[in-house]
């Protein structure tokens, strides 16, 4: 405590702001599909100390050469506003939409889960997969690869269950998101 | 029946598409620079840019200034940009040439200076092989440029150059880097003229929302203690923005202060001017900021050196923030009204609505406010104890100020970083924009001399003075040679206290007078140094010598170093200490007045 006080008095920067509850926001970003764009987005987050929880990117418009990035980030309302403005400042970024603020939207994630087990566990894995509407996309005598889609919470739950059933590998895409209703971003 | 064939009517006379000129990538660079209105560039050649230097050699439109270190090229381009309002350009080689510009690029980013840096790169087929003088320049500079490009195809080159200029000067200006591999410099392609280049979707908003302007004007009209707080955004918005601001401030009768970056946008000789605000700002400016009820911030960004302790920053005011960069609004300080617009257009709009609606401020309230301000002014926060034996740095600057006024030439002042920079900001009056070149955001020691080179190149007949510290000037002293080569009569006015004075001041006030590594035990003889470079060296040891030395300095036609031996222990006041609020500033150089218990 003494040291903290000393820091406050000696540092020209004073103290940081009081802790405010962080929120998660889902952003949809339309960018030029050119080399380095992803590095710019990620560099912005790391350089300014913002938190990324999930990031997905792929080309979505090959006529206009655009990619869509979906980012889930967390921060105080002021930080979230900054993140959006800072993203908007990047030259190759066409548009930033805050799906969390825009209203209802759907979020989906896909995961591939490899399970290595025999006997009762193998059967239980298959049964659980059925409950989660996961599909078997590869199988050997010892293993399955399941493909599961849904909200991140559902994917989390599936992975949790599979952990006890011989899960040895997971690959997740991160969240893809879109607003509900008739409007595009 | 076929109609008779008219002789000529069916022969369509479409004028042929203008035939694109074929040329090499290197020639395209020169062609595009000329088309973009660039008359001077700053740089240094080596392997990876030789084709461009070859093309440079074979044309006449663009002049090149050979610097001695690429950081110098960057700052010179900044000095050129800031003193002209045009885009500054530097040209450097790959690897070390490019990495040497990183400080200047960061400096330009933080101070929003329009700049284009063209760096050579190893040929595309060698990229990624750790080739000789290869560096991941776009990777390294991604965080210190507004945007950057790696050109991999000759067909893209002309558009990229035009786009780079557009990005550098549009919206909030900044540095843009083009990394140009050597094989692309050699490759032939079709040149695309500026006017035929595609229009980029990056078109930042400049026109203010008039509804918000109306709201702002109403807020101002109802104020009892309003203050204008302006910044470098006004300077960046061009000379007309300064004029519009001046009209607005005069017609409303509201006091005005500005950041370090904004000095000169409003004439310092005017009675509504409160002086600079912030850590070393004036008593009246900081108190006005603290006590105001409506703050009108235009083109400034609530930097930590301006706000002091955030939680105590101007606690009772409604805040209006006008900025061209939406990310600046609500970044550090929550404001009541944010308006995204060009500073000049916003000032014009505010003024127009103010006039159209015939607003007047509450007269008794304003009289009280000005009475209060006069009381703060009467503290005379910039006073210092003069001496007959030793030159006080403030005294030296007052003498310099008088000499400049007497001289009458258009004057451009650059600075290095430290106490001398703050004293220059406090003691030299700026009545016009673009005359004050200082590294505000990054605080780069070594900025002032190359920046003065850029300014003097752009204004050959003007008086260009670098107010320097003896430690800072050594950081880019090699540019003396550049100044000699191009016959630039820059004056380097060193306030030589033999200390890194700003560091020493903090150590005295905040670290128990433990002067760790802030004394320069050995320094060059600056008079001999100037002479060794081929310039003029002068020295003033006592106040009595000062007038004569400044007199001589004003008359030299070569780069001149004036070594002003000043009081070693003088501190820069007023000062808002660490983590304190505007109303807790240390006022006087009298040690009994500041609280040593802080330590
Ligand atoms: C490139 C760089 N390195 C270090 C610093 C930190 N720094 C700020 S002021 C200063 C001392 C400057 O000394 P001098 O040029 O003699 O100026 P004075 O304060 O004595 O007027 C230093 C080291 C800086 N601003 N820039
Ligand atoms: Mg010094």
């Amino acid at each position: 405590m003494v040291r903290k006080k000393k820091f406050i008095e000696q540092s020209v920067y004073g103290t940081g702001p009081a802790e405010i509850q962080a929120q998660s926001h889902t952003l949809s970003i339309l960018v030029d599909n050119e080399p380095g764009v992803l590095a710019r987005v990620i560099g912005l987050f790391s350089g300014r100390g913002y938190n990324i929880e999930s990031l997905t990117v792929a080309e979505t418009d090959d006529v206009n050469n655009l990619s869509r990035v979906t980012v889930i980030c967390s921060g105080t309302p002021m930080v979230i506003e900054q993140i959006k403005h800072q993203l908007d400042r990047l030259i190759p970024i066409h548009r930033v939409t805050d799906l969390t603020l825009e209203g209802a939207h759907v979020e989906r994630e896909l995961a591939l889960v490899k399970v290595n087990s025999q006997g009762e566990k193998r059967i239980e894995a298959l049964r659980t997969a059925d409950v989660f509407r996961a599909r078997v996309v590869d199988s050997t005598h010892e293993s399955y690869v399941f493909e599961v889609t849904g909200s991140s919470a559902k994917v989390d739950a599936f992975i949790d269950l599979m952990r006890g059933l011989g899960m040895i590998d997971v690959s997740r895409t991160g969240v893809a998101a879109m607003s509900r209703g008739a409007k595009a971003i | 029946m076929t109609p008779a064939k008219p002789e000529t009517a069916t022969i369509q006379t479409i004028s042929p598409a203008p035939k694109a000129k074929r040329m090499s990538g290197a020639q395209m660079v020169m062609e595009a620079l000329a088309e973009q209105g660039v008359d001077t560039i700053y740089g240094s050649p080596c392997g990876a840019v030789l084709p461009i230097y070859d093309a440079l050699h074979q044309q006449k439109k663009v002049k090149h200034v050979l610097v001695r270190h690429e950081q110098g090229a960057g700052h010179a381009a900044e000095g050129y940009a800031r003193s002209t309002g045009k885009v500054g350009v530097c040209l450097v080689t790959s690897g070390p040439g490019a990495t040497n510009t990183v400080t200047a690029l960061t400096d330009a980013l933080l101070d929003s200076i329009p700049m284009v840096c063209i760096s050579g790169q190893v040929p595309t087929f060698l990229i990624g092989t750790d080739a000789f003088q290869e560096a991941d320049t776009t990777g390294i500079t991604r965080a210190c440029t507004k945007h950057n490009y790696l050109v991999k195809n000759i067909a893209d080159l002309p558009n990229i150059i035009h786009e780079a200029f557009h990005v550098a000067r549009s919206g909030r200006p900044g540095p843009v880097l083009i990394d140009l591999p050597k094989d692309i410099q050699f490759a032939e392609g079709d040149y695309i003229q500026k006017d035929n280049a595609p229009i980029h979707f990056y078109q930042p908003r400049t026109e203010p929302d008039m509804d918000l302007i109306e709201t702002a004007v109403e807020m101002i009209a109802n104020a009892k203690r309003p203050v204008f707080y302006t910044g470098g955004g006004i300077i960046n918005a061009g000379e007309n923005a300064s004029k519009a601001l001046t009209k607005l401030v005069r017609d409303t009768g509201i006091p005005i202060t500005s950041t370090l970056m904004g000095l000169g946008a409003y004439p310092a000789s005017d009675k509504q001017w409160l002086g600079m605000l912030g850590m070393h700002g004036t008593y009246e400016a900081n108190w006005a900021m603290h006590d105001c009820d409506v703050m009108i911030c235009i083109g400034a960004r609530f930097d930590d050196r301006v706000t002091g302790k955030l939680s105590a920053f101007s606690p009772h005011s409604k805040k209006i923030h006008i900025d061209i960069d939406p990310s600046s609004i609500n970044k550090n300080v929550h404001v009541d009204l944010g308006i995204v617009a060009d500073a000049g257009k916003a000032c014009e709009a505010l003024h127009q609505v103010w006039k159209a609606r015939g607003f007047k401020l509450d007269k008794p309230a304003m009289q009280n406010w000005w009475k209060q301000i006069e009381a703060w002014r009467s503290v005379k926060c910039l006073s210092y104890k003069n001496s007959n034996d030793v030159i006080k740095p403030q005294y030296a600057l007052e003498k310099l100020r008088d000499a400049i006024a007497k001289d009458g030439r258009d004057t451009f002042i650059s600075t290095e970083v430290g106490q001398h920079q703050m004293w220059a900001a406090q003691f030299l009056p700026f009545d016009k924009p673009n005359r004050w070149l200082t590294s505000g955001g990054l605080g780069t020691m070594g900025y002032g001399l190359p920046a003065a080179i850029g300014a003097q190149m752009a204004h050959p007949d003007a008086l260009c003075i670098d107010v320097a510290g003896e430690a800072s000037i050594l950081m880019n002293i090699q540019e003396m040679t550049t100044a000699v080569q191009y016959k630039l009569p820059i004056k380097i006015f060193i306030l030589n206290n033999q200390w890194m004075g700003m560091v020493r001041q903090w150590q005295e006030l905040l670290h128990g007078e433990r002067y760790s590594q802030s004394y320069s035990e050995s320094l060059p003889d600056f008079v001999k140094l100037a002479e060794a470079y081929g310039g003029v060296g002068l020295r003033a040891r006592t106040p009595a010598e000062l007038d004569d030395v400044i007199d001589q300095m004003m008359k030299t036609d070569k780069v001149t170093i004036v070594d002003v031996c000043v009081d070693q222990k003088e501190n820069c006041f007023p000062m808002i200490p660490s983590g304190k609020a505007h109303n807790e500033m240390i006022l006087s150089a009298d040690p009994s007045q500041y609280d040593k218990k802080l330590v």
Side-chain angles (χ1 to χ4, degrees):
Chain A
M1 271 296 93
V2 173
R3 287 192 60 187
K4 181 155 186 205
K5 184 153 177 279
K6 200 153 178 191
F7 167 80
I8 294 166
E9 285 174 349
Q10 290 187 344
S11 163
V12 287
Y13 298 103
T15 45
E19 294 289 321
I20 302 172
Q21 196 62 43
Q23 308 165 347
S24 262
H25 280 238
T26 305
L27 310 182
S28 233
I29 310 164
L30 221 49
V31 301
D32 278 335
N33 180 18
E34 62 182 34
V37 173
L38 195 56
R40 280 179 215 284
V41 172
I42 293 170
L44 188 138
F45 276 80
S46 64
R48 292 186 181 264
Y50 304 142
N51 297 319
I52 302 186
E53 288 170 6
S54 163
L55 176 90
T56 30
V57 55
E59 187 177 68
T60 51
D61 178 349
D62 61 357
V63 179
N64 298 308
N65 207 23
L66 296 177
S67 292
R68 180 157 169 161
V69 182
T70 308
V71 184
I72 301 182
C73 52
S74 66
T76 62
M78 214 152 148
V79 167
I80 298 282
E81 195 184 324
Q82 264 299 299
I83 292 176
K84 289 185 276 182
H85 284 314
Q86 294 293 348
L87 284 167
D88 221 9
R89 245 157 65 118
L90 298 178
I91 307 299
I93 287 191
H94 289 247
R95 195 157 57 243
V96 181
T97 312
D98 187 337
L99 293 175
T100 307
L101 284 191
E102 293 269 297
H105 66 280
V106 281
E107 293 188 4
R108 285 292 177 271
E109 192 179 357
L110 181 146
L112 297 174
V113 177
K114 185 178 281 182
V115 171
N116 190 346
S117 52
Q118 270 98 39
E120 192 48 42
K121 278 195 173 168
R122 184 171 160 89
I123 294 161
E124 180 61 20
L126 209 53
R127 240 183 259 136
T128 310
D130 200 36
V131 173
F132 278 79
R133 297 207 194 105
R135 295 197 303 142
V136 176
V137 289
D138 177 67
S139 88
T140 66
H141 289 304
E142 307 86 57
S143 69
Y144 285 122
V145 175
F146 296 113
E147 174 203 302
V148 62
T149 9
S151 69
S152 294
K154 174 185 162 186
V155 173
D156 286 347
F158 182 69
I159 288 169
D160 269 354
L161 288 172
M162 286 296 154
R163 208 167 270 134
L165 300 173
M167 184 178 82
I168 56 165
D169 220 354
V170 187
S171 173
R172 297 173 72 149
T173 57
V175 170
M178 191 170 276
S179 62
R180 290 185 186 274
K183 243 179 71 207
I185 67 162
Chain B
M1 191 177 100
T2 47
K5 240 184 189 174
E7 285 295 75
T8 55
T10 55
I11 298 167
Q12 292 224 334
T13 48
I14 303 169
S15 57
K19 205 154 166 249
K21 265 201 267 179
R22 298 280 297 172
M23 60 180 81
S24 72
Q27 285 168 323
M28 285 184 192
V29 171
M30 297 320 302
E31 191 79 18
L33 289 182
E35 249 203 303
Q36 289 288 343
V38 177
D39 50 35
T40 313
I41 64 174
Y42 305 84
S44 184
C46 193
V49 273
L50 282 182
I52 301 179
Y53 273 89
D54 204 29
L56 172 86
H57 197 72
Q58 298 175 47
Q59 55 84 51
K60 288 216 169 68
K61 288 180 195 148
V62 180
K63 223 179 323 173
H64 178 269
V65 174
L66 175 66
V67 296
R68 268 52 177 184
H69 184 298
E70 290 86 351
Q71 185 189 353
H75 292 321
E78 283 189 271
Y80 174 93
R82 288 176 81 158
S83 66
T84 60
K86 298 202 290 186
V87 179
V89 179
C90 61
L91 173 60
V92 300
T93 192
S94 67
T99 56
N100 269 348
T101 63
V102 165
T103 302
L105 291 169
T106 313
D107 194 275
L109 184 71
L110 279 182
D111 282 349
S112 309
I113 307 303
M115 179 166 144
V116 169
C117 175
I118 298 169
S119 57
Q121 180 56 280
V122 301
T124 44
F125 53 85
L126 282 182
I127 290 177
T129 65
D130 298 326
F132 179 63
Q133 296 199 325
E134 180 187 357
D136 174 8
T137 302
T138 43
I140 290 169
T141 60
R142 201 168 282 136
C144 65
T145 52
K146 182 174 174 184
H147 195 47
N148 62 17
Y149 304 85
L150 171 61
V151 187
K152 288 187 153 173
N153 189 338
I154 182 69
D156 299 335
L157 180 60
N159 288 345
I160 285 180
I161 302 176
H162 297 312
E163 189 180 303
F165 275 86
H166 169 71
V167 170
R169 64 163 81 96
S170 306
R172 179 175 178 174
V176 178
L177 178 135
I178 304 170
D179 203 25
L180 194 48
K182 193 169 181 178
D183 53 333
I184 308 291
Q185 298 171 32
F186 277 127
E188 275 223 341
D190 291 338
Y191 179 68
I192 298 167
Q193 283 177 338
K194 185 176 135 206
D195 295 336
N196 298 335
I199 291 168
H200 196 271
F201 65 84
Y202 175 71
Q203 301 290 343
R205 172 179 192 132
T206 58
E207 299 288 342
D209 177 330
M210 285 312 284
D211 289 346
L212 298 180
I213 291 284
E214 295 265 347
T215 312
V217 170
E218 280 161 20
M219 280 167 76
I220 298 169
N222 287 319
K224 301 212 162 5
R225 300 183 309 278
V227 68
F228 278 102
Y229 148 43
T230 60
I234 305 267
I235 313 263
N236 275 337
E239 219 169 317
N240 284 336
S242 292
K243 288 193 185 128
L245 171 75
T246 305
K247 265 211 297 220
L248 175 66
V249 173
R250 292 235 169 97
D251 284 354
T252 53
I254 296 173
I256 173 169
T257 176
S258 115
T259 64
L260 180 72
M261 293 297 298
L263 296 180
Y266 188 84
S269 52
D270 191 88
K271 60 184 189 314
Q272 279 167 258
W273 172 246
L274 303 181
M276 178 178 78
L277 83 170
M279 184 174 263
H280 292 288
T282 67
Y283 190 70
E284 50 272 35
N286 284 331
W287 266 98
M289 287 288 281
H290 185 270
D291 276 13
C292 66
D293 67 344
V294 173
M295 176 187 296
I296 311 119
C297 170
I298 310 178
R301 59 188 175 92
F302 296 92
D303 174 81
D304 54 88
R305 295 296 150 115
V306 156
T307 61
K309 185 177 176 178
L310 269 181
S311 57
F313 174 68
S314 193
H316 314 297
S317 62
K318 289 240 177 295
K319 299 175 185 73
I320 301 167
H321 187 188
I322 301 172
D323 205 291
I324 197 153
D325 175 8
S327 80
S328 280
I329 296 171
N330 287 329
K331 180 168 68 181
N332 300 332
V333 169
H334 178 79
V335 296
D336 301 276
L337 180 65
I339 303 178
V340 176
D342 171 84
K345 291 186 176 169
C347 287
E348 278 162 20
L350 288 170
H351 186 256
Q352 181 216 320
V353 173
W354 180 266
K355 284 267 146 194
R357 300 201 29 197
F359 279 124
K360 289 256 169 349
L361 281 158
D362 177 349
K363 212 165 172 193
M366 283 306 284
Q367 274 168 352
N368 276 339
W369 182 225
W370 274 109
K371 220 169 92 195
Q372 173 64 70
I373 288 169
E374 287 311 327
W376 290 325
R377 265 184 181 156
S378 67
V379 167
K380 297 208 182 315
C381 67
L382 295 180
S383 56
Y384 61 96
K385 218 162 154 191
N386 211 352
S387 153
N388 286 327
D389 315 318
V390 47
I391 303 174
K392 292 285 180 175
Q394 301 96 323
Y395 178 73
L397 286 169
E398 284 177 340
K399 286 286 159 188
L400 181 66
R401 174 197 67 196
D402 296 346
I404 291 169
K406 209 177 98 195
D407 185 89
R409 268 178 285 179
D410 198 3
T411 305
F412 294 81
I413 305 283
S414 67
T415 74
E416 308 291 335
V417 171
Q419 288 178 319
H420 63 274
Q421 174 192 29
M422 292 299 118
W423 280 315
Q426 292 173 339
F427 285 86
L428 300 178
F430 295 94
D431 279 350
K432 284 189 202 154
N434 303 98
R435 303 302 193 276
W436 166 243
L437 322 171
T438 195
S439 170
L442 195 62
T444 311
M445 291 167 72
Y447 170 85
L449 173 54
I453 288 176
Q456 188 83 78
M457 282 301 301
H459 309 274
D461 299 326
L463 183 58
C464 292
I465 303 175
D466 174 24
V467 176
E470 77 297 330
S472 295
I473 192 65
L474 290 177
M475 288 210 178
N476 272 322
I477 191 72
Q478 75 287 342
E479 301 308 332
M480 282 290 289
T481 327
T482 310
V484 170
Q485 177 171 341
Y486 297 91
K487 302 191 171 57
L488 305 176
I490 293 163
K491 327 291 182 200
I492 303 167
F493 195 74
I494 303 180
L495 297 177
N496 185 348
N497 52 13
Q498 300 187 33
W499 288 82
M500 297 193 200
M502 191 54 96
V503 177
R504 195 199 57 73
Q505 176 166 349
W506 286 10
Q507 288 172 335
E508 180 183 332
L509 299 181
L510 305 167
H511 290 272
E513 299 177 68
R514 291 180 294 278
Y515 298 119
S516 178
Q517 306 296 319
S518 51
Y519 183 66
S520 299
E521 298 240 353
S522 87
L523 281 167
D525 178 333
F526 283 107
V527 172
K528 284 192 189 149
L529 187 68
E531 286 163 1
Y533 276 118
V536 177
L538 302 167
R539 178 171 294 127
R541 285 191 194 79
T542 63
E545 290 174 358
L546 196 56
D547 281 331
D548 186 42
V549 163
I550 292 180
D551 233 29
Q552 288 182 51
M553 172 190 96
M554 287 298 201
K555 293 192 192 115
T556 58
D557 56 359
K558 284 187 204 160
V559 59
T560 303
I561 295 184
V562 186
D563 187 20
V564 186
C565 307
V566 298
D567 188 345
Q568 294 194 10
K569 290 287 162 69
E570 191 69 16
N571 281 336
C572 182
F573 293 108
M575 174 181 182
I576 301 176
S578 45
K580 299 277 177 178
H582 277 172
N583 58 348
E584 296 175 286
M585 66 194 317
I586 301 172
L587 240 191
S588 136
D590 176 359
S592 64
Q593 286 219 10
Y594 58 76
D595 183 7
K596 289 228 170 162
K597 287 198 296 288
L598 261 180
V599 183

